């Protein structure tokens, strides 16, 4: 699963699953996911995830309270994580979550995404039109979240245009600089940056760099002996030094350290 650091062995500590939302909810949510674990006879496990530019809505429960500073069970909004998401799981617990498309949370709920970046917030009574009470069960909680998120008839035209632009950033390996992205934007450079702050929560450069670093991390995991200078150039960095600096800043280690730890 792209985004999970060290796929080769980390998933043995827990059960990880993901599935598609309903058609109505898929306008805003890329997929639902769940993690369940029982470590009562094992040591705590440190989980690290290279995050996408996405907001997550989670329902969490278990014996390891508190989690993220909140007593369990809880329902939380996770803003975009600017570096890597790190948490320690222990005892027995579970999480079910919705990973929103970049901009999808704001399009659905009208919340200013930049105000949530780097934060974990409890769901308030105003998020949905009715109070929500989620069962501590993956199937029941995800079905209820799907129903609530999908119960929205309007689709924001700004969000529709943004989705097309973000998909291009993700998929077009030839886009290496912000100026190139702006050539495909339906807005001026200033408006584009404002749209990204409001809907995505981070600047265009961050989104561009994060997707390319996702590619780099996956390549390093799959081919740890690959020439990192060639990899840096192929993904748009001017030289290996800048690549190493960005990798360390956003992912918490150098490419060499990452290869030593997570290479297959």
């Amino acid at each position: 699963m792209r985004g999970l650091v060290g796929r080769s062995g980390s998933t043995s500590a827990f059960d990880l699953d993901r599935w598609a939302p309903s058609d109505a909810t898929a306008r805003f949510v890329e997929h639902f996911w769940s993690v369940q674990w029982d470590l009562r006879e094992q040591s705590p496990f440190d989980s690290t995830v290279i995050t996408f530019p996405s907001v997550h809505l989670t329902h969490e429960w278990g014996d390891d309270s508190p989690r993220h500073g909140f007593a369990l069970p809880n329902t939380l909004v996770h803003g975009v994580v600017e570096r890597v998401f790190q948490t320690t799981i222990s005892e027995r617990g579970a999480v079910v979550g919705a990973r929103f498309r970049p901009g999808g949370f704001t399009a659905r709920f009208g919340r200013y995404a930049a105000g949530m970046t780097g934060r974990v917030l409890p769901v308030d009574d105003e998020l949905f039109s009715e109070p929500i009470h989620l069962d501590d069960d993956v199937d029941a909680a995800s079905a209820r979240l799907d129903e609530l998120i999908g119960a929205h008839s309007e689709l924001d035209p700004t969000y529709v245009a943004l989705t097309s632009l973000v998909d291009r950033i993700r998929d077009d390996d030839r886009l290496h600089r912000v100026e190139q992205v702006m050539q495909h934007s339906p807005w001026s450079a200033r408006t584009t940056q404002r749209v990204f702050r409001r809907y995505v929560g981070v600047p265009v450069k961050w989104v561009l760099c994060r997707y390319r670093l996702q590619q780099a991390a996956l390549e390093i995991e799959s081919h740890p002996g690959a020439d990192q200078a060639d990899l840096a150039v192929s993904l748009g960095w001017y030289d290996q030094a800048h690549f190493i600096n960005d990798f360390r800043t956003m992912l918490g280690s150098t490419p060499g350290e990452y290869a030593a730890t997570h290479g297959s």
Side-chain angles (χ1 to χ4, degrees):
M1 184 175 296
R2 191 177 182 187
L4 182 65
V5 173
R7 301 161 186 75
S8 57
S10 62
T11 55
S12 63
F14 47 79
D15 294 323
L16 177 65
D17 194 14
R18 72 176 183 181
W19 58 96
S22 65
D23 290 344
T25 300
R27 296 173 298 165
F28 310 105
V29 170
E30 184 168 353
H31 63 254
F32 284 97
W33 56 271
S34 67
V35 184
Q36 301 179 78
W37 65 90
D38 188 344
L39 300 177
R40 288 173 294 179
E41 298 182 0
Q42 302 179 49
S43 300
F45 179 83
D46 294 325
S47 176
T48 302
V49 177
I50 304 172
T51 59
F52 290 84
S54 304
V55 173
H56 291 252
L57 179 62
T58 66
H59 182 64
E60 313 195 13
W61 64 95
D63 303 327
D64 55 329
S65 187
R67 200 180 300 157
H68 310 297
F70 299 96
L72 298 173
N74 57 47
T75 305
L76 305 171
V77 177
H78 301 252
V80 172
V81 179
E82 295 176 285
R83 294 197 176 184
V84 291
F85 176 80
Q86 295 178 313
T87 189
T88 300
I89 60 176
S90 62
E91 301 297 329
R92 179 175 55 181
V95 182
V96 61
R99 185 173 108 181
F100 282 78
R101 298 181 182 278
F105 189 85
T106 294
R108 172 60 180 85
F109 297 108
R111 301 295 175 91
Y112 184 62
M116 300 183 293
T117 297
R119 304 175 68 190
V120 180
L121 304 168
V123 167
D124 58 57
D125 293 338
E126 297 179 357
L127 189 67
F128 296 101
S129 59
E130 57 185 287
I132 62 169
H133 303 286
L134 299 177
D135 294 332
D136 296 345
D137 174 84
V138 168
D139 292 337
S142 63
R144 182 60 175 149
L145 285 175
D146 193 311
E147 178 186 11
L148 290 165
I149 296 168
H152 187 76
S153 58
E154 297 181 4
L155 200 57
D156 183 342
T158 300
Y159 167 61
V160 174
L162 171 68
T163 297
S164 178
L165 183 58
V166 172
D167 286 350
R168 179 180 286 272
I169 294 172
R170 181 195 63 203
D171 298 334
D172 190 344
D173 294 343
R174 297 168 299 178
L175 297 182
H176 298 153
R177 299 186 304 279
V178 172
E179 293 80 6
Q180 293 174 301
V181 174
M182 294 304 176
Q183 293 174 6
H184 299 280
S185 175
W187 310 291
S188 69
R190 178 176 294 182
T191 298
T192 301
Q193 294 289 5
R194 186 167 63 248
V195 168
F196 269 71
R197 287 194 299 272
R198 171 166 174 73
Y199 284 82
V200 185
V202 285
V204 175
K205 183 178 180 179
W206 189 98
V207 175
L208 182 62
C209 188
R210 176 51 56 103
Y211 277 129
R212 296 300 167 261
L213 288 174
Q214 279 275 7
Q215 292 176 271
L218 184 59
E219 182 67 22
I220 290 171
E221 287 188 32
S222 303
H223 307 94
D227 188 293
Q228 293 180 10
D230 290 343
L231 179 61
V233 172
S234 70
L235 293 175
W237 275 268
Y238 291 109
D239 55 45
Q240 189 175 4
H242 284 92
F243 171 63
I244 291 172
N245 184 63
D246 284 348
F247 200 101
R248 181 193 296 112
T249 298
M250 296 189 79
L251 306 186
S253 64
T254 67
E257 293 168 342
Y258 189 88
T261 305
H262 303 297
S264 58

